Amino acid sequence: MHVCVTGGAGFIGGHLCRRLLRDGHRVTAIDNFDPFYPRVMKEEGIDDFPAHSFTLIETDICNTDAILHALHVRDVDAIVHLAAKAGVRPSVEAPGAYEKTNVGGTQSMLTVAQELGIDTFIYGSSSSVYGNKDKVPFAEDDRVEEPISPYAATKRPERSEEVLLGCAPASC
């Protein structure tokens, strides 16, 4: 199987790539090396991956055309979408940047999957979407209608742009 992992040089993405490679899969990772985490730290996490079964594409997940161009010849079977602009606190200062990357980037990757006929798409959300709930542990079917930050709103599996902008569909 050939798996594309967005955010593939990040902590979780890098570990997933390592596991997929160890299990005999081919992996194409996409990462833009956002400065939120030191680049050297991310590079060290993937520097020992075998070149014959691992490819790194350094680009932004919002760059649909570049990703389509890079993946159309790679015969990808699945996309695991983990890439996101990270940080709860910074999202309060720059909510538009989080909406652009986390919502727009997810839309971009869904477009890539659709245009390339990739039927398996796994989306990595965040526990931040649950907000300040008293009920622990969280459950996937819990309601997540009151995120506590723009980051949490952008990681909500559906309608994140409505929450981020503070409006319902009819009023947007």
Side-chain angles (χ1 to χ4, degrees), residues 21-143:
L21 291 164
R22 188 178 73 212
D23 289 349
H25 302 290
R26 289 182 299 141
V27 176
T28 297
I30 298 173
D31 206 293
N32 73 343
F33 292 90
D34 184 275
F36 189 82
Y37 295 106
R39 181 183 183 101
V40 68
M41 187 172 73
K42 290 178 134 189
E43 289 174 340
E44 288 173 353
I46 62 171
D47 68 354
D48 64 336
F49 290 173
H52 68 278
S53 56
F54 178 77
T55 303
L56 174 65
I57 299 169
E58 186 173 349
T59 193
D60 191 304
I61 57 171
C62 294
N63 192 343
T64 309
D65 291 338
I67 296 168
L68 281 169
H69 179 74
L71 294 184
H72 87 279
V73 296
R74 288 191 163 75
D75 197 27
V76 172
D77 300 300
I79 294 173
V80 179
H81 178 47
L82 303 176
K85 189 158 183 63
V88 172
R89 286 188 183 108
S91 75
V92 175
E93 299 296 322
Y98 283 75
E99 188 274 335
K100 178 183 180 283
T101 297
N102 299 356
V103 177
T106 298
Q107 181 60 53
S108 172
M109 293 309 302
L110 286 167
T111 298
V112 167
Q114 182 178 33
E115 290 197 19
L116 297 180
I118 301 168
D119 293 330
T120 302
F121 190 97
I122 299 170
Y123 172 68
S125 184
S126 169
S127 63
S128 295
V129 302
Y130 296 103
N132 291 326
K133 292 198 175 286
D134 292 329
K135 179 186 164 274
V136 177
F138 306 130
E140 287 183 14
D141 59 354
D142 286 349
R143 296 180 65 97

Side-chain angles (χ1 to χ4, degrees), residues 135-164:
K135 179 186 164 274
V136 177
F138 306 130
E140 287 183 14
D141 59 354
D142 286 349
R143 296 180 65 97
V144 292
E145 295 176 344
E146 297 179 27
I148 59 171
S149 70
Y151 170 77
T154 65
K155 294 301 290 177
R156 187 174 169 213
E158 56 185 57
R159 295 188 311 273
S160 54
E161 67 282 352
E162 296 165 17
V163 176
L164 180 65

